Amino acid sequence: MNFLRGVMGGQPAGPQQSGAETIQKLCDRVASSTLLEDRRDAVRALKSLSKKYRLEVGTQAMGHLIHVLQTDSSDSEIIGYALDTLYNVISNDEEEEQDESEEENSQKEAEDLGSQLTDALINEQENITLILRLLEEFDFHVRWPGVKLITALLKKRCGPVQGIILVSPMGVSRLMDLLADSREIIRNDALLLLQQLTKGNAAIQKIVAFENAFERLLDIISEEGSSDGGIVVEDCLLLLLSLLKNNSSNQNFYKEGSYVQRMKPWFEVRDDNSGWSAQKVTNLHRMLQLVRVMVSPVNSPGAISSCQKAMHHCGLLQQLCAILMATGVPADILTETINTVSEVIRGSQDNQDYFASVNAPSNPPRPAIVVLLMSMVNERQPFVLRCAVLYCFQSFLYRNHKGQEEVVSTLLPSTIEASSITAGQLLCGGLFSSDSLSNWCAAVALSHALLDNPAQKEQLLRVQLATSAGTPPISLLQQCTNILSQGDKIERRGSKVQTRVGLLILLCSWISSCPIAVTHFLHNHQNVSYLTGQISENQGEDERLVQGLCALLLGICICYNDNSLENHTKEKLKQLIEKRIGKENFVEKLSFISKQEQYSRAAHQPQPTGPTPEHMLFDHQFTKLVKELEGVVTKSVYKSSEEERKEEEVKKTLEQHDSIMTQYKELIREQDAQINELKEQVVSLSSQSEQMKRTVAQQVLQIQQHRDQHSILKLKLEKGSQQAGGQGEEAQMNGLQREELSRLREELQELRGRSARLEAELADRNAIITSLNSERAQTVNGLENNAETLKELEALRSRVASQSTQISQLQAEKQDLLKTAAQSAKETVDPAGSDLQSLLTAQTQESERLKEEVRRLAESGAGAERQLASANSSVAVLEAERARLQEELTESRKEQDDLLMLLADQDQKITTLRNRLKALGEPIEDEDDLDSQDQGDDDDDEPDDD
């Protein structure tokens, strides 16, 4: 203990020890002491020396400290000292605080030392697993040093430590549990730890997200006051950005979890926007970045669209637009809000329509688009703000033909209103102002109103401008070309390269894919002279871009020229290039465009950005146009008129062939549909036929049962009539109830007639059933014939498919021949052409043969349809007849039941009469005699009935 007192500050008894010796003795004490108190004091002493002697403590004591963590985990105090010591030797907080006073080499050495000690610690993965397990200890003196140590390790060696934590059982879950700690200092440091843990590791990001990180982080943001909160809110937002950026799975989980809706309260605008603190500005900036991450153009189109819909439906877009129109908003927040709104509405028709309906709170109210464009063409506004407005306007017009039409319509004479400021007026004003950045922004914005919209390109040709009083108006196209061709005016206006680049971007976007616009441009002879003059001159480095754009514009005039102007046909423009410029020189100047640094930066992202206003030269959509047209223009310049003519002929031939093939494909598709329909009908008829077979069998069985019942009933009736006849004669002989017996005889005769009619009807029904069976057999034969026809149709369809394959192969051979003809000498072209002609002739003959086969197929299909229709009608007749037979059988059963009841009544009456006769003392014969007598009476009565 005396030794420890000396180390901790007591008076040394002997000579002064060096730091390394002291640390060595402390390490020995940690390793050899059996008492926990002695080891704890030694570890505490190492902690106090760890900042000053990082190297000595790290190299000598690290193993002993790890052993303490393994063996003394039950004592939280010694564990806390050990974790603090490891943290001190790995991190270089002390050196960072003295960074301003120390030399660069010392700082580098400190960094290298921390990295080396980190490597030594993580060399054994069990060490990291041990520290993670200690984090489950709730004691503050253990958990907080453990959090700081893991964070320091991640800062030094992020990738390896992430890999160890990822494979460690419950490693990420233990770290996520730290967010639920009630002690704010641990929770806040856990946020910093998770930021380092999730950096650049998609797998860990997904695990953290599915550990309910979004819910916890959003709760913390709300508890801390959202945008009005402190640094903790910023840390939560940074962690959310780390989880969502470039991680489509987490973005989809965030959207489906309805967390987008919880972002809306962040952007609520108060009436008093004064007093924006620096932390609030930072928080709101991070929140806007989080919104942009969800709708970034680098995401998949489906994910962007779904997030845009969610932001519109929950009211988030409305809140962002309210910030745009609010007063007192800091410039950087306003700029970032404009960029955020740009990406929320980009490509979404509903969001774009809503943005078009937003009005600024001015008197009179003005559309938000107009207010923003006023800022864009105002040279006194900040550069980044003007770029943001341009991005917003581009996003509003992106894939929005309705918005493009509305913007162009504000430039047409019939829609201009002198009392209001329109978007078209502001764009024209910026296009011809004295500020070069305004020229460029207005030109690029106007080009987006024409993007992929040939109709608006033609409409813009109608725009007329009044340049000065007393002079006739000129077209917008003519005014743009005038400014380009009059170089002295450009110098006086102070707009050199940037203005001309903007105008050339507008003209290239305008006349591309629009032959009418090309004709209008070439109608002014000075335009061609200016372009050829610019391209042929040997100017400085700054003018190379202008020369390249002039070459592109002239190439577009060749590609989309309809040869309506005799002096400026395709061939004459090519001859002009060859004579005045040279083809190789022309192509070289054209290649200058894609070699510019600004071109590469603009092609990388849709948002227009640049370090200074002078660097704004290219637009993202224009780089796509250059990439598309560069090769096309080069080929057009090198092609001769003969090659173009042959290519046009071959192209027309191929188009005709394609149209024929399209017709055949449509016909075959129709035949396939008919065949499938016939198959379905055959299957339906087969099922109906089977059902009819079962029904007919049931009907036959029922009829047989009715016949049996009828035979039994007939026998009973005959027996009952005989009994009734005998009793009647006896009653007549005795003078009792003669009239009643006569009536009974009449009823018996009527019953006999009905029985005869029933037998006749049964015979008719048997005939009908026989007829139905024969018709069913014919139907089955027809169906079998239809099946054979369908087989023939299927075989013919396979032949047609084979022919289509051969046609495709022939077309591919034609393409190969065309490529060979373009690369070969002129003498090799004609044989290839003759081969192609022979192939086309053979193909035409084959097509005629296919027409005949298809016609025969159609006739067979029509016959099959008629047979199916006949079968359907037969089935309908069978169904109707079966229903009628069923009704008649039901009625017959009812009549037979009534007859049985009547016979029972008569039998009862006869019995009653006999009993009465017996009671009167009249002699009554036996029943057998009465039966024979009744039979005789019946025979006597029959002639009388006749």
Side-chain angles (χ1 to χ4, degrees):
M1 297 300 293
N2 292 332
F3 168 73
L4 291 177
R5 292 194 198 95
V7 172
M8 298 305 295
Q11 295 294 329
Q16 185 71 29
Q17 296 180 351
S18 64
E21 294 175 351
T22 304
I23 292 170
Q24 181 62 47
K25 291 182 179 180
L26 291 172
C27 291
D28 294 341
R29 182 57 61 96
V30 172
S32 60
S33 296
T34 57
L35 294 177
L36 179 61
E37 292 79 4
D38 290 344
R39 294 197 301 274
R40 186 190 304 126
D41 292 339
V43 174
R44 185 190 298 115
L46 287 173
K47 173 189 172 184
S48 64
L49 297 173
S50 59
K51 290 187 177 181
K52 185 176 182 180
Y53 300 101
R54 291 178 61 202
L55 178 61
E56 291 78 2
V57 175
T59 54
Q60 298 182 37
M62 184 174 291
H64 300 291
L65 295 173
I66 294 298
H67 184 70
V68 168
L69 296 179
Q70 293 173 344
T71 58
D72 296 330
S73 58
S74 59
D75 186 72
S76 60
E77 189 174 359
I78 191 173
I79 296 297
Y81 291 148
L83 292 174
D84 278 331
T85 305
L86 291 173
Y87 171 75
N88 291 336
V89 298
I90 287 173
S91 64
N92 55 338
D93 293 343
E94 194 168 299
E95 287 79 2
E96 290 176 359
E97 294 174 0
Q98 300 174 358
D99 182 55
E100 296 180 358
S101 61
E102 292 184 346
E103 296 180 357
E104 183 179 355
N105 292 335
S106 300
Q107 178 68 21
K108 186 176 181 181
E109 291 177 0
E111 292 287 347
D112 292 341
L113 176 59
S115 299
Q116 293 172 4
L117 295 175
T118 301
D119 293 336
L121 181 60
I122 68 175
N123 191 35
E124 296 291 337
Q125 295 187 9
E126 292 78 6
N127 296 340
I128 304 299
T129 305
L130 175 62
I131 298 172
L132 292 174
R133 190 164 58 248
L134 291 174
L135 290 178
E136 295 180 351
E137 179 64 40
F138 186 74
D139 191 286
F140 178 81
H141 296 91
V142 176
R143 180 168 284 191
W144 188 44
V147 171
K148 294 194 297 180
L149 178 57
I150 295 292
T151 306
L153 293 173
L154 286 168
K155 288 181 179 179
K156 295 297 181 182
R157 289 289 184 264
C158 185
V161 178
Q162 285 176 334
I164 296 173
I165 295 175
L166 187 60
V167 299
S168 177
M170 300 296 292
V172 179
S173 298
R174 289 191 180 102
L175 299 179
M176 280 299 300
D177 292 339
L178 299 174
L179 291 179
D181 200 300
S182 58
R183 294 158 294 194
E184 291 188 358
I185 187 171
I186 294 180
R187 183 200 66 184
N188 298 343
D189 283 350
L191 291 173
L192 301 177
L193 188 154
L194 291 172
Q195 289 178 24
Q196 297 294 327
L197 178 65
T198 57
K199 186 181 298 183
N201 193 308
I204 294 180
Q205 290 171 0
K206 292 179 182 178
I207 296 174
V208 171
F210 283 98
E211 288 285 345
N212 207 22
F214 295 140
E215 185 74 27
R216 296 183 184 181
L217 293 174
L218 292 175
D219 289 341
I220 295 173
I221 292 173
S222 299
E223 293 170 2
E224 295 292 329
S226 296
S227 61
D228 294 324
I231 189 67
V232 177
V233 173
E234 182 182 1
D235 290 336
C236 291
L237 294 171
L238 288 173
L239 181 54
L240 285 172
L241 286 170
S242 178
L243 293 173
L244 293 174
K245 193 171 184 180
N246 300 325
N247 194 318
S248 58
S249 175
N250 281 2
Q251 291 175 6
N252 186 53
F253 180 66
Y254 190 86
K255 176 184 65 65
E256 291 182 351
S258 300
Y259 297 119
V260 174
Q261 289 81 342
R262 296 188 60 178
M263 300 165 67
K264 178 187 174 183
W266 297 351
F267 306 101
E268 292 181 355
V269 180
R270 301 176 183 175
D271 296 334
D272 183 13
N273 285 322
S274 60
W276 288 66
S277 63
Q279 187 61 53
K280 180 177 181 179
V281 172
T282 302
N283 291 343
L284 200 54
H285 190 78
R286 301 296 184 193
M287 292 172 177
L288 292 170
Q289 285 181 335
L290 188 60
V291 176
R292 293 187 66 182
V293 163
M294 298 297 296
V295 291
S296 174
V298 300
N299 298 342
S300 64
I304 295 173
S305 177
S306 59
C307 287
Q308 288 173 335
K309 290 179 181 178
M311 291 178 181
H312 186 198
H313 292 160
C314 74
L316 179 58
L317 176 59
Q318 291 85 328
Q319 293 291 90
L320 295 175
C321 291
I323 295 177
L324 284 185
M325 299 294 104
T327 57
V329 179
D332 54 347
I333 293 298
L334 181 60
T335 301
E336 188 64 19
T337 304
I338 294 174
N339 289 326
T340 305
V341 171
S342 303
E343 294 182 350
V344 173
I345 68 174
R346 178 181 168 85
S348 174
Q349 187 64 54
D350 293 338
N351 293 6
Q352 289 167 340
D353 292 342
Y354 173 77
F355 183 70
S357 65
V358 176
N359 290 323
S362 59
N363 192 13
R366 290 176 178 171
I369 298 174
V370 173
V371 176
L372 292 175
L373 288 178
M374 292 173 66
S375 300
M376 186 186 74
V377 298
N378 187 352
E379 57 184 306
R380 288 176 292 183
Q381 292 292 339
F383 166 63
V384 291
L385 178 63
R386 299 173 72 182
C387 291
V389 173
L390 176 60
Y391 185 39
C392 185
F393 189 73
Q394 292 173 347
S395 300
F396 170 68
L397 297 179
Y398 183 68
R399 295 179 180 175
N400 185 7
H401 286 227
K402 178 181 177 182
Q404 290 174 327
E405 181 181 359
E406 291 175 353
V407 171
V408 174
S409 65
T410 60
L411 288 164
L412 299 178
S414 60
T415 59
I416 294 178
E417 298 179 5
S419 60
S420 62
I421 300 176
T422 63
Q425 292 174 351
L426 290 171
L427 291 177
C428 282
L431 195 61
F432 309 122
S433 70
S434 59
D435 178 40
S436 59
L437 182 60
S438 297
N439 302 152
W440 185 87
C441 290
V444 170
L446 193 56
S447 70
H448 277 255
L450 310 175
L451 190 65
D452 298 328
N453 198 332
Q456 300 311 314
K457 293 179 180 180
E458 297 179 9
Q459 286 292 324
L460 200 62
L461 295 172
R462 299 171 49 203
V463 177
Q464 300 290 321
L465 301 176
T467 55
S468 61
T471 59
I474 61 174
S475 66
L476 176 61
L477 179 66
Q478 185 62 42
Q479 181 64 12
C480 293
T481 55
N482 287 345
I483 295 175
L484 277 177
S485 60
Q486 297 172 3
D488 56 338
K489 291 185 178 181
I490 294 176
E491 293 296 333
R492 285 202 301 270
R493 292 171 58 248
S495 51
K496 297 182 181 180
V497 175
Q498 194 172 36
T499 296
R500 285 185 287 170
V501 168
L503 291 172
L504 287 169
I505 288 176
L506 174 60
L507 291 174
C508 290
S509 303
W510 191 346
I511 71 173
S512 65
S513 303
C514 186
I516 297 177
V518 172
T519 303
H520 279 255
F521 180 79
L522 294 176
H523 194 269
N524 187 350
H525 303 289
Q526 296 179 356
N527 294 338
V528 178
S529 300
Y530 168 75
L531 294 178
T532 54
Q534 287 287 320
I535 300 170
S536 60
E537 290 181 2
N538 293 322
Q539 299 178 352
E541 187 73 22
D542 295 339
E543 296 293 330
R544 284 191 170 188
L545 177 57
V546 176
Q547 289 181 318
L549 292 174
C550 289
L552 179 63
L553 184 59
L554 186 58
I556 293 173
C557 293
I558 296 174
C559 294
Y560 299 102
N561 193 334
D562 58 0
N563 296 325
S564 59
L565 295 178
E566 184 178 356
N567 295 329
H568 294 98
T569 60
K570 288 184 178 182
E571 185 61 28
K572 290 185 178 180
L573 290 177
K574 290 180 184 179
Q575 294 175 0
L576 183 64
I577 290 175
E578 187 172 3
K579 291 179 181 178
R580 295 194 57 183
I581 303 172
K583 294 182 179 180
E584 291 78 9
N585 189 28
F586 178 86
V587 174
E588 182 182 0
K589 296 294 178 66
L590 181 63
S591 65
F592 287 162
I593 302 175
S594 57
K595 294 179 181 179
Q596 299 291 321
E597 180 183 355
Q598 295 88 342
Y599 177 90
S600 301
R601 184 171 61 247
H604 183 67
Q605 59 180 357
Q607 182 179 355
T609 56
T612 60
E614 292 76 16
H615 285 78
M616 300 299 296
L617 295 175
F618 283 101
D619 170 60
H620 178 73
Q621 292 296 332
F622 182 71
T623 60
K624 292 184 178 180
L625 181 64
V626 172
K627 186 177 180 180
E628 176 185 348
L629 293 178
E630 187 174 3
V632 177
V633 170
T634 302
K635 291 180 181 179
S636 298
V637 170
Y638 277 105
K639 284 181 182 177
S640 63
S641 59
E642 184 65 21
E643 291 175 345
E644 285 191 352
R645 184 183 62 79
K646 290 183 178 180
E647 184 176 347
E648 288 293 332
E649 292 178 356
V650 173
K651 185 177 180 181
K652 291 180 180 178
T653 304
L654 291 177
E655 289 178 354
Q656 294 176 357
H657 180 267
D658 290 340
S659 64
I660 293 173
M661 287 299 300
T662 303
Q663 293 176 1
Y664 279 125
K665 288 179 180 178
E666 290 294 332
L667 184 59
I668 292 171
R669 196 174 291 113
E670 292 177 0
Q671 292 294 334
D672 287 340
Q674 293 177 0
I675 290 172
N676 292 331
E677 185 178 356
L678 289 174
K679 286 182 177 180
E680 293 176 358
Q681 292 179 0
V682 168
V683 172
S684 176
L685 287 175
S686 298
S687 62
Q688 291 179 5
S689 176
E690 293 296 328
Q691 185 177 0
M692 288 298 298
K693 287 180 180 179
R694 292 192 296 269
T695 304
V696 169
Q698 293 176 359
Q699 292 292 338
V700 170
L701 181 60
Q702 291 178 358
I703 291 173
Q704 186 64 37
Q705 292 175 354
H706 291 162
R707 283 178 177 176
D708 296 340
Q709 293 177 1
H710 183 268
S711 299
I712 295 172
L713 181 62
K714 185 176 180 182
L715 293 174
K716 290 182 178 180
L717 288 174
E718 290 177 352
K719 185 176 180 181
S721 62
Q722 292 175 359
Q723 293 176 355
Q727 298 236 356
E729 287 295 329
E730 183 179 358
Q732 185 177 10
M733 290 169 58
N734 293 283
L736 298 174
Q737 300 180 352
R738 294 178 65 88
E739 295 179 359
E740 185 175 356
L741 291 175
S742 299
R743 183 174 57 80
L744 290 175
R745 286 194 183 96
E746 292 177 357
E747 289 179 356
L748 287 173
Q749 291 297 330
E750 184 178 355
L751 290 175
R752 289 173 180 173
R754 286 183 182 179
S755 177
R757 286 196 300 273
L758 284 176
E759 290 180 355
E761 288 180 359
L762 287 174
D764 294 339
R765 289 169 184 170
N766 290 331
I768 291 173
I769 290 172
T770 303
S771 176
L772 290 176
N773 287 329
S774 62
E775 289 181 0
R776 182 179 60 81
Q778 293 177 0
T779 302
V780 171
N781 293 331
L783 292 176
E784 292 177 353
N785 295 331
N786 288 339
E788 294 178 358
T789 304
L790 288 175
K791 291 181 181 178
E792 294 179 359
L793 292 176
E794 190 67 26
L796 183 56
R797 188 166 68 87
S798 62
R799 292 178 58 191
V800 172
S802 177
Q803 293 295 334
S804 299
T805 305
Q806 294 179 4
I807 291 171
S808 301
Q809 294 175 355
L810 289 175
Q811 189 172 3
E813 292 176 0
K814 293 174 189 176
Q815 295 293 336
D816 295 338
L817 288 174
L818 287 176
K819 294 180 180 178
T820 306
Q823 297 174 357
S824 304
K826 183 176 181 181
E827 57 271 13
T828 61
V829 174
D830 296 333
S834 61
D835 293 340
L836 180 61
Q837 185 64 33
S838 64
L839 290 174
L840 289 173
T841 303
Q843 184 58 44
T844 303
Q845 295 175 356
E846 185 64 22
S847 300
E848 292 296 331
R849 188 178 63 79
L850 285 175
K851 284 183 179 179
E852 292 297 329
E853 292 186 0
V854 169
R855 190 178 300 109
R856 187 175 64 81
L857 176 63
E859 293 176 357
S860 301
E865 290 180 355
R866 289 193 295 272
Q867 292 180 3
L868 289 174
S870 176
N872 288 332
S873 61
S874 300
V875 170
V877 171
L878 288 173
E879 288 289 339
E881 185 64 25
R882 183 184 64 81
R884 188 177 64 80
L885 290 174
Q886 186 68 30
E887 293 177 358
E888 292 180 355
L889 288 173
T890 303
E891 293 178 357
S892 176
R893 285 180 178 180
K894 292 181 179 180
E895 292 176 355
Q896 290 173 0
D897 293 339
D898 295 340
L899 183 58
L900 288 174
M901 293 176 64
L902 180 61
L903 290 174
D905 293 339
Q906 294 297 328
D907 185 56
Q908 185 177 3
K909 291 180 181 179
I910 292 172
T911 302
T912 304
L913 291 174
R914 291 183 65 184
N915 293 332
R916 290 174 62 186
L917 289 173
K918 287 181 179 181
L920 294 173
E922 293 293 332
I924 300 175
E925 298 179 359
D926 295 336
E927 292 182 357
D928 293 337
D929 297 336
L930 290 175
D931 291 341
S932 60
Q933 186 177 357
D934 289 341
Q935 183 66 33
D937 293 339
D938 291 341
D939 294 339
D940 295 338
D941 291 340
E942 284 180 359
D944 296 337
D945 293 336
D946 294 336

